[in-house]
Amino acid sequence: MRVGRSYDQFCPAARALDVIGGRWTLLIVRELLLGPRRYTDLVAGLPGIGPNVLAERLRELGEAGILSRSRLPPPAASAVYELTGLGEAMRPVVDELTRWGLRFLGAPRPGERFQLGWLLGCVRAGFRPELARGLHETYEFRVDGDVFHLRVDDGTLDVRHGSAAEAACVVSTDLATFMAVGARLLTVEDALERRIAQLEGGLDAVGRAVTILGAHLEATNGRYGIIGAVGAGFRPEAARGIRETYEFRVGDFLFHARVDDGTVEMGQGPAPGPGPAAALITDLATLLQLGAGTLALEDAFADGSATPEGDPGAGLRMATAFGVVLGR
């Protein structure tokens, strides 16, 4: 079925883009992959979309058989949109697009919005099915007021908004702690001891969730987790002619970046060879602020939240290569 404008090509890729290639269309699918959503939920999850555009896209997707509209039973009695089987078949496409898009994520741009629900695609994209064979368990997370749950069923994963009917564990925390545990910069035990996370249910269940959902550096070669986030901020144009290795020490976690004439290779552990030309010692919260450009390196040094080591000139080149704001 043709929806909207067409490429007029007898090609499966072109025909698919006829259906889901319009502006906002794929993001609507992204939202519905997390479960049925009311119209107001879609408006909240798609800031910037106009009501006329949203209504038109929903109509087009409905005509294409990708979503359906139904009404929840009382007492809710709300109309909701949900994906059909044809729409659910988009899940691996969206997951792979999310993995691919991590290469371009970098630091947030000025004016960019963020919602936790958008991060859940990264959680699903990093799932390790081979570690979840024979496991049937649900984990609930409450992060800065947002609630979602993850259902693992014999090597498959389903991520949904809202509370779980029955969860092996419920973890309540803030976004920075959630990201730190997922990136394996912070253990669940440490987060609980420091009271930056609360747990209902079994600690062993949380451990299983982190094992199958958290960053796996040995399998991803540093593409995901905090190493991937730092690597994504690399600016090749600022590193032409530079051949140096830098080290990042974030709490007890250590990784390095080897820069070679505009290219970078990220790795876990200390810098190889004679040692790094420069090193940055800091905590996760400060590193996230530096990467997002909300904290200048000069200010981080001044308040003691970050400490440099090595050659000062190399330290400046390191900051420039990774897009860190040097001063106000």
Side-chain angles (χ1 to χ4, degrees):
M1 176 177 182
R2 178 179 296 184
V3 177
R5 299 176 62 182
S6 172
Y7 288 100
D8 292 322
Q9 296 181 14
F10 189 70
C11 161
R15 193 62 56 84
L17 290 173
D18 284 348
V19 178
I20 53 91
R23 180 170 166 80
W24 295 105
T25 302
L26 201 56
L27 296 184
I28 293 173
V29 174
R30 177 198 68 186
E31 293 297 303
L32 295 178
L33 282 171
L34 296 175
R37 308 293 275 163
R38 297 171 299 176
Y39 182 86
T40 53
D41 295 328
L42 291 171
V43 170
L46 299 164
I49 193 171
N52 292 340
V53 173
L54 177 56
E56 179 68 10
R57 295 295 179 269
L58 291 172
R59 181 188 64 78
E60 292 172 347
L61 289 170
E63 291 179 354
I66 292 173
L67 63 76
S68 63
R69 186 174 182 269
S70 59
R71 186 166 292 277
L72 295 175
S78 299
V80 294
Y81 296 90
E82 58 186 325
L83 294 176
T84 62
L86 181 61
E88 283 286 345
M90 285 290 297
R91 187 178 299 277
V93 178
V94 175
D95 285 350
E96 192 55 42
L97 184 65
T98 299
R99 294 187 188 96
W100 188 71
L102 286 170
R103 295 168 171 83
F104 306 99
L105 194 60
R109 299 168 186 163
E112 280 193 329
R113 303 174 178 91
F114 171 79
Q115 292 186 16
L116 177 64
W118 306 341
L119 182 65
L120 298 184
C122 299
V123 173
R124 193 171 58 235
F127 176 59
R128 297 281 297 279
E130 71 277 9
L131 300 179
R133 302 297 181 198
L135 185 62
H136 306 272
E137 223 165 30
T138 301
Y139 317 106
E140 182 175 317
F141 293 88
R142 303 172 184 174
V143 182
D144 286 338
D146 285 311
V147 181
F148 63 96
H149 64 274
L150 314 171
R151 171 64 181 167
V152 176
D153 187 11
D154 192 21
T156 64
L157 174 69
D158 191 21
V159 183
R160 298 281 173 172
H161 284 294
S163 300
E166 187 174 338
C169 64
V170 178
V171 179
S172 303
T173 187
D174 57 80
L175 180 60
T177 303
F178 175 75
M179 293 178 65
V181 172
R184 296 188 174 184
L185 300 179
L186 179 70
T187 66
V188 176
E189 291 84 353
D190 286 343
L192 295 173
E193 184 176 344
R194 292 166 56 182
R195 297 185 179 180
I196 53 177
Q198 294 78 45
L199 170 66
E200 301 172 30
L203 184 60
D204 55 343
V206 185
R208 288 191 292 275
V210 173
T211 297
I212 61 177
L213 298 167
H216 294 268
L217 304 174
E218 73 285 355
T220 62
N221 196 27
R223 287 178 293 171
Y224 310 128
I226 200 65
I227 294 181
V230 172
F234 180 68
R235 300 166 59 194
E237 72 280 2
R240 302 297 181 196
I242 297 176
R243 292 178 173 83
E244 291 178 324
T245 299
Y246 310 119
E247 202 167 86
F248 299 84
R249 305 172 195 167
V250 184
D252 296 329
F253 188 68
L254 184 64
F255 62 99
H256 64 272
R258 181 185 292 173
V259 175
D260 185 7
D261 190 21
T263 65
V264 66
E265 180 182 344
M266 307 296 297
Q268 188 177 9
L280 178 68
I281 305 168
T282 187
D283 56 73
L284 177 63
T286 301
L287 185 68
L288 293 174
Q289 291 179 70
L290 290 171
T294 58
L295 175 67
L297 189 62
E298 178 182 272
D299 294 338
F301 289 161
D303 66 19
S305 58
T307 304
E309 276 191 4
D311 174 42
L316 289 175
R317 291 190 292 273
M318 170 185 177
T320 303
F322 286 92
V324 174
V325 176
L326 297 177
R328 301 289 182 189

